[in-house]
Amino acid sequence: MQTDCRNCPFKTKATSMLSECSLDQLSSNHLELKLKKGDSIIKQGTYSTNVVFLRTGLAKIHIAGPYTEQIVKMVNAPSYLGLPTTFGSKINQYSVTAVSDAEVCFIDLEVFQNILDENKEFTREIIQEFCKNELESFHRCANRTQKLIRGNMADAILDFADKIFKSDSFVLPLSQVEFANLVDTSRESVSRVLAEFDKDGIIKVNGRQIDILNKKSLVLVSQNG
Amino acid sequence: MQTDCRNCPFKTKATSMLSECSLDQLSSNHLELKLKKGDSIIKQGTYSTNVVFLRTGLAKIHIAGPYTEQIVKMVNAPSYLGLPTTFGSKINQYSVTAVSDAEVCFIDLEVFQNILDENKEFTREIIQEFCKNELESFHRCANRTQKLIRGNMADAILDFADKIFKSDSFVLPLSQVEFANLVDTSRESVSRVLAEFDKDGIIKVNGRQIDILNKKSLVLVSQNG
DNA sequence: ATTATTTTGTGATATGCATCACATTGTATA
DNA sequence: TATACAATGTGATGCATATCACAAAATAAT
């Protein structure tokens, strides 16, 4: 299915920089797909020739570590997915999976490259994005390895609230196993710490429904443990 | 001091894509500097308007974690430094320090941006570089958090041999404290594990001189622990 | 509705490694 | 050459958290 990209209401900042001409090129060279929660978007180990545009929905980027699957980051729409894997390597180096219902557009790599070549502003924004990601990954790495579990879990919850859902009440889009893979812990520890936070009145846990009751405390835990 | 970039013998793949015109622009808009081991190249928290080209030498990228300084990665010449920090943020988000004598060129951000705008091939290469870095950081993060210390140390030693020095004999450019910050351990553990590897005949340690004696074993340790 | 399967809660135990404490060696500095 | 300071070696101890082993809910499948 193809739609007119010019009128797409889900443009990223980068995409809004594109010329009409490039948008038309996109329109006639992309495949739009509706996905259900759990559907695979990019699969580690498979051949890759597409950049993916996440139009709506929420996805996880995950990678097979030496022992367990690790969730590298959560991404919400609108956003481009798979640039590193598609540009940097013929074979996908990580997986992306929808954790909510989602809409995606598959864009041929050559078309995307062409659009990069023809749109300086677009390229600038994409590079900005790369820079932001690299900085984030530096910070994430330093935090994850130095902080204790409580701190990392607090971080993750704050991230969901502030970056993903923009609300202090949300339902966790991950199982505890997945949450553990995101925070680098065991499933059991996730369960325990969540219960602790609840007992301490920092958050209210009801199944996967999370309500942040005391954000200051949560930030403190994030900083100190 | 300014030199002619056209004849610079230390071009990256990206730089070799530049037009004569852009090289001239670079020539007249960069500051070349000779640095000594330990000299700071980029300092976290300071204002940043320059991209740095590492012409010769070896540098560490490091970042202040919540508790200790963490070395994110080692970079050897020729390579551009500080792109994420300079493009993505006005204030440097990480530090870069020479760990050997080095030569660097400071390039004004606007000049660099201009050169990006004018050279598609150059831009492609830079984007490739970003992609490679992001993939690397995914892998590094998954490995570091899942592997035991012996595995991570084996990894680091293999990295030095294969990527940095291209030789199975080299002198470690880091103190044990720094090595610990690179591998996410304590200084004591570095000392102990190095001694273990030596005792097991996997490597020979003599001060900071490292000789890999049994690379297969080292790879095995890297994989299993 | 009933069964099967996945997800979650919670105690007990084991362990890898940080931390502490100090000895020893190496390396700048006066 | 002596002295100060940084880098390293090595044991003893403690702690955070993984792992194991179940029970209990919750969801999905029949």
Side-chain angles (χ1 to χ4, degrees):
Chain A
M1 194 221 293
Q2 282 172 15
T3 39
D4 186 348
C5 295
R6 270 188 290 191
N7 304 319
C8 178
F10 304 109
K11 292 194 184 101
T12 66
K13 192 176 172 199
T15 317
S16 67
M17 302 289 184
L18 288 179
S19 64
E20 296 281 303
C21 162
S22 287
L23 282 169
D24 287 344
Q25 201 188 352
L26 257 189
S27 297
S28 47
N29 280 290
H30 83 271
L31 179 68
E32 198 182 331
L33 233 58
K34 287 188 195 306
L35 299 180
K36 287 200 303 266
K37 176 180 168 172
D39 285 352
S40 172
I41 300 173
I42 291 173
K43 192 156 190 153
Q44 184 171 2
T46 63
Y47 197 73
S48 141
T49 53
N50 288 294
V51 171
V52 182
F53 175 62
L54 183 67
R55 233 165 83 100
T56 64
L58 181 59
K60 62 175 178 180
I61 297 179
H62 49 119
I63 187 168
Y67 299 106
T68 62
E69 196 74 9
Q70 179 146 353
I71 298 181
V72 176
K73 65 187 293 198
M74 306 296 302
V75 182
N76 60 354
S79 177
Y80 288 101
L81 297 169
L83 265 57
T85 243
T86 304
F87 273 104
S89 152
K90 298 219 191 318
I91 305 289
N92 280 315
Q93 296 294 304
Y94 55 82
S95 301
V96 182
T97 305
V99 298
S100 73
D101 290 356
E103 297 170 275
V104 296
C105 305
F106 287 85
I107 303 160
D108 192 79
L109 173 59
E110 287 190 26
V111 172
F112 193 84
Q113 182 62 263
N114 212 278
I115 288 173
L116 275 174
D117 285 348
E118 302 306 324
N119 297 269
K120 289 174 189 173
E121 294 295 327
F122 179 75
T123 302
R124 283 194 191 196
E125 288 299 327
I126 293 292
I127 287 180
Q128 282 281 356
E129 199 63 27
F130 274 116
C131 291
K132 232 186 61 204
N133 288 346
E134 192 159 347
L135 288 180
E136 243 176 43
S137 88
F138 286 1
H139 283 119
R140 201 168 40 239
C141 206
N143 283 329
R144 283 233 190 114
T145 49
Q146 288 185 26
K147 284 187 187 177
L148 303 185
I149 291 178
R150 287 170 57 94
N152 283 326
M153 293 221 10
D155 269 351
I157 294 170
L158 286 168
D159 257 30
F160 276 119
D162 296 339
K163 299 203 184 149
I164 307 285
F165 295 110
K166 277 119 186 149
S167 159
D168 286 1
S169 294
F170 56 88
V171 341
L172 250 185
L174 304 175
S175 73
Q176 289 189 358
V177 175
E178 290 177 300
F179 199 124
N181 292 342
L182 176 66
V183 177
D184 277 317
T185 328
S186 64
R187 190 220 99 220
E188 293 91 329
S189 292
V190 168
S191 177
R192 276 185 257 264
V193 171
L194 242 28
E196 276 174 42
F197 285 175
D198 183 303
K199 188 164 63 62
D200 298 348
I202 300 174
I203 63 175
K204 189 154 99 40
V205 182
N206 197 329
R208 292 194 188 173
Q209 172 71 40
I210 305 268
D211 302 270
I212 299 178
L213 302 179
N214 189 339
K215 202 153 185 178
K216 277 174 200 151
S217 293
L218 198 55
V219 171
L220 275 176
V221 173
S222 147
Q223 284 161 358
N224 305 314
Chain B
M1 191 221 295
Q2 283 171 14
T3 40
D4 186 349
C5 295
R6 269 188 290 194
N7 304 320
C8 177
F10 303 109
K11 291 196 184 98
T12 65
K13 194 176 171 203
T15 316
S16 67
M17 303 289 183
L18 288 178
S19 65
E20 295 283 303
C21 162
S22 287
L23 282 169
D24 286 345
Q25 200 188 352
L26 257 188
S27 296
S28 48
N29 280 290
H30 83 271
L31 179 69
E32 198 183 330
L33 233 60
K34 287 189 195 305
L35 299 181
K36 288 201 304 267
K37 176 178 168 172
D39 284 353
S40 172
I41 300 173
I42 291 174
K43 193 156 189 154
Q44 184 170 4
T46 64
Y47 196 75
S48 138
T49 54
N50 288 294
V51 171
V52 182
F53 176 63
L54 183 67
R55 233 165 83 101
T56 63
L58 181 58
K60 61 174 178 180
I61 297 179
H62 50 118
I63 187 168
Y67 300 106
T68 60
E69 196 74 10
Q70 179 146 353
I71 298 181
V72 176
K73 65 187 292 195
M74 307 295 303
V75 182
N76 59 355
S79 177
Y80 287 101
L81 297 169
L83 265 56
T85 243
T86 304
F87 274 103
S89 154
K90 300 219 190 317
I91 304 291
N92 282 315
Q93 297 293 304
Y94 56 80
S95 302
V96 182
T97 304
V99 299
S100 72
D101 289 357
E103 297 169 275
V104 295
C105 305
F106 288 85
I107 303 161
D108 192 78
L109 172 60
E110 286 188 28
V111 172
F112 194 84
Q113 182 63 262
N114 211 276
I115 288 172
L116 275 175
D117 286 346
E118 303 305 324
N119 296 268
K120 290 175 189 174
E121 295 295 327
F122 180 75
T123 302
R124 283 193 190 198
E125 288 300 327
I126 294 291
I127 288 181
Q128 282 281 357
E129 199 64 27
F130 274 117
C131 291
K132 230 185 62 204
N133 288 347
E134 191 159 347
L135 288 180
E136 243 176 43
S137 89
F138 286 0
H139 284 119
R140 200 168 42 238
C141 205
N143 284 328
R144 283 232 189 115
T145 50
Q146 289 184 26
K147 284 188 187 178
L148 302 184
I149 291 178
R150 287 170 57 93
N152 284 326
M153 294 224 4
D155 269 351
I157 294 170
L158 286 168
D159 258 30
F160 276 119
D162 296 341
K163 298 201 184 150
I164 306 286
F165 295 111
K166 278 123 185 147
S167 158
D168 286 0
S169 293
F170 56 89
V171 341
L172 250 185
L174 305 175
S175 73
Q176 289 189 358
V177 175
E178 291 176 299
F179 199 106
N181 292 342
L182 175 66
V183 177
D184 276 317
T185 328
S186 63
R187 189 221 97 220
E188 293 91 330
S189 291
V190 169
S191 175
R192 275 186 258 263
V193 171
L194 242 31
E196 275 175 43
F197 285 175
D198 183 303
K199 189 165 63 61
D200 297 348
I202 300 174
I203 63 176
K204 189 152 97 45
V205 182
N206 199 328
R208 292 194 188 174
Q209 172 72 39
I210 306 268
D211 302 89
I212 299 178
L213 302 179
N214 189 338
K215 202 154 186 176
K216 277 176 200 152
S217 292
L218 197 55
V219 171
L220 274 176
V221 173
S222 147
Q223 284 161 357
N224 305 312

